[in-house]
């Protein structure tokens, strides 16, 4: 990818709004871009070249392997989100990112390079801190839901949030491209695959939604 293309990809990200054109061009030299197709693994967190990633296009799911070798979906990453070693600390985890949309593009910095970049650009450091604050607030809301909401409410809230971010709305319904399995959703709301399947069937019988392998249709209340 040439420097002009890198420049415009970075210019398009809100985090880098605080940088001048000259500053932005200078960091294009240390930025790496990667594209992936659906199902491709983007990141291993224990990679020796630990990186901070910025998703420019598409959707990813962050997956962790538990002690029994099962895949657990921990988060859904969408355009503009930051992932990888975003805490700027070296951690050991069997975590990786998988492309769940047809075309994914992300840019990344080596953790050491990004840390130096923040030190040289205080405004960028402040912007990054605010960005992380929003991320931690989202995580805090998720944990709050787990503590105070039952699984049926968590399931409905998850679908509503998903629809608000990615749904295509019409007068009577919102259509979602369905790229998550029932097990994926179960991991995200801390439930079981069987319970998620039961809830899908229950909501379908009540006319709240319809679904297939490729899409979920949420019905709007009359």
């Amino acid at each position: 990818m040439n420097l002009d293309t890198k420049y415009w990809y970075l210019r398009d990200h809100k985090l880098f709004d605080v940088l001048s054109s000259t500053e932005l061009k200078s960091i294009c030299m240390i930025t790496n871009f990667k594209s992936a197709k659906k199902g491709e693994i983007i990141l291993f967190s224990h990679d020796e070249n630990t990186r901070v990633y910025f998703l420019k296009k598409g959707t990813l799911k962050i997956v962790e392997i538990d002690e029994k070798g099962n895949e657990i979906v921990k988060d859904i990453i969408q355009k503009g989100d930051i992932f990888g070693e975003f805490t700027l600390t070296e951690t050991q985890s069997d975590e990786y990112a998988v492309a769940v949309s047809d075309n994914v593009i992300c840019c990344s910095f080596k953790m050491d390079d990004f840390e130096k970049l923040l030190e040289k650009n205080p405004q960028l450091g402040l912007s990054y801190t605010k960005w992380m604050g929003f991320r931690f607030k989202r995580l805090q809301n998720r944990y709050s839901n787990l503590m105070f909401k039952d699984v049926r409410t968590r399931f409905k809230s998850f679908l509503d949030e998903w629809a608000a971010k990615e749904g295509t709305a019409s007068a009577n319904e919102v259509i979602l491209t369905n790229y998550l399995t029932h097990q994926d959703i179960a991991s995200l709301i801390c439930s079981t695959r069987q319970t998620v399947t039961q809830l899908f069937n229950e909501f379908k019988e009540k006319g709240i939604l319809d679904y297939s392998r490729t899409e979920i249709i949420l019905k709007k209340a009359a």
Side-chain angles (χ1 to χ4, degrees), residues 6 27 52-53 67 69 87-88 95 101 104 108 114 120 132 139 161 174 179 187 190 200:
K6 286 185 176 184
I27 68 173
V52 179
Y53 289 79
E67 295 178 354
T87 59
L88 301 183
E95 242 182 50
S101 57
V104 167
S108 67
F114 191 66
K120 291 179 181 179
M132 289 302 98
L139 291 174
E161 183 179 346
V174 179
Y179 53 77
S187 297
C190 288
F200 265 112

Side-chain angles (χ1 to χ4, degrees), residues 62-102:
I62 303 297
V63 178
E64 183 176 17
I65 305 298
D66 67 14
E67 295 178 354
K68 297 181 180 179
N70 299 314
E71 290 187 353
I72 300 173
V73 178
K74 296 181 66 177
D75 203 359
I76 300 299
I77 305 297
Q78 297 168 319
K79 180 182 176 181
D81 284 345
I82 302 171
F83 64 105
E85 297 298 334
F86 59 86
T87 59
L88 301 183
T89 59
E90 294 190 18
T91 59
Q92 293 296 322
S93 174
D94 289 323
E95 242 182 50
Y96 55 93
V98 181
V100 295
S101 57
D102 292 332

Side-chain angles (χ1 to χ4, degrees), residues 32 37 110:
N32 181 55
K37 296 180 180 180
K110 288 184 179 180

Side-chain angles (χ1 to χ4, degrees), residues 55-199:
L55 186 60
K56 293 301 304 168
K57 183 178 181 180
T59 306
L60 300 167
K61 62 180 180 181
I62 303 297
V63 178
E64 183 176 17
I65 305 298
D66 67 14
E67 295 178 354
K68 297 181 180 179
N70 299 314
E71 290 187 353
I72 300 173
V73 178
K74 296 181 66 177
D75 203 359
I76 300 299
I77 305 297
Q78 297 168 319
K79 180 182 176 181
D81 284 345
I82 302 171
F83 64 105
E85 297 298 334
F86 59 86
T87 59
L88 301 183
T89 59
E90 294 190 18
T91 59
Q92 293 296 322
S93 174
D94 289 323
E95 242 182 50
Y96 55 93
V98 181
V100 295
S101 57
D102 292 332
N103 188 14
V104 167
I105 298 175
C106 59
C107 65
S108 67
F109 297 85
K110 288 184 179 180
M111 189 168 68
D112 289 344
D113 289 339
F114 191 66
E115 203 167 16
K116 292 174 184 176
L117 186 63
L118 295 181
E119 291 174 355
K120 291 179 181 179
N121 297 273
Q123 283 296 109
L124 181 62
L126 180 60
S127 180
Y128 182 75
T129 300
K130 290 179 179 179
W131 199 273
M132 289 302 98
F134 290 129
R135 180 184 176 91
F136 286 126
K137 184 176 181 180
R138 187 176 71 181
L139 291 174
Q140 185 180 36
N141 290 338
R142 179 183 294 180
Y143 287 126
S144 178
N145 287 341
L146 293 177
M147 291 292 293
F148 301 110
K149 294 181 180 180
D150 59 34
V151 66
R152 183 173 282 97
T153 305
R154 296 201 303 271
F155 175 71
K156 183 63 166 58
S157 295
F158 172 79
L159 292 179
D160 288 342
E161 183 179 346
W162 189 6
K165 288 181 178 179
E166 300 182 44
T168 301
S170 66
N172 301 313
E173 60 191 26
V174 179
I175 300 176
L176 282 164
T177 299
N178 186 16
Y179 53 77
L180 296 173
T181 67
H182 287 192
Q183 183 58 58
D184 290 343
I185 296 173
S187 297
L188 289 165
I189 66 171
C190 288
S191 184
T192 65
R193 180 185 59 79
Q194 292 86 348
T195 298
V196 168
T197 299
Q198 289 172 3
L199 288 169

Side-chain angles (χ1 to χ4, degrees), residues 155 197-212 217 219:
F155 175 71
T197 299
Q198 289 172 3
L199 288 169
F200 265 112
N201 291 335
E202 176 188 322
F203 280 37
K204 183 176 181 179
E205 289 177 3
K206 291 180 177 180
I208 299 173
L209 60 75
D210 199 359
Y211 71 96
S212 67
I217 303 172
K219 309 291 186 178

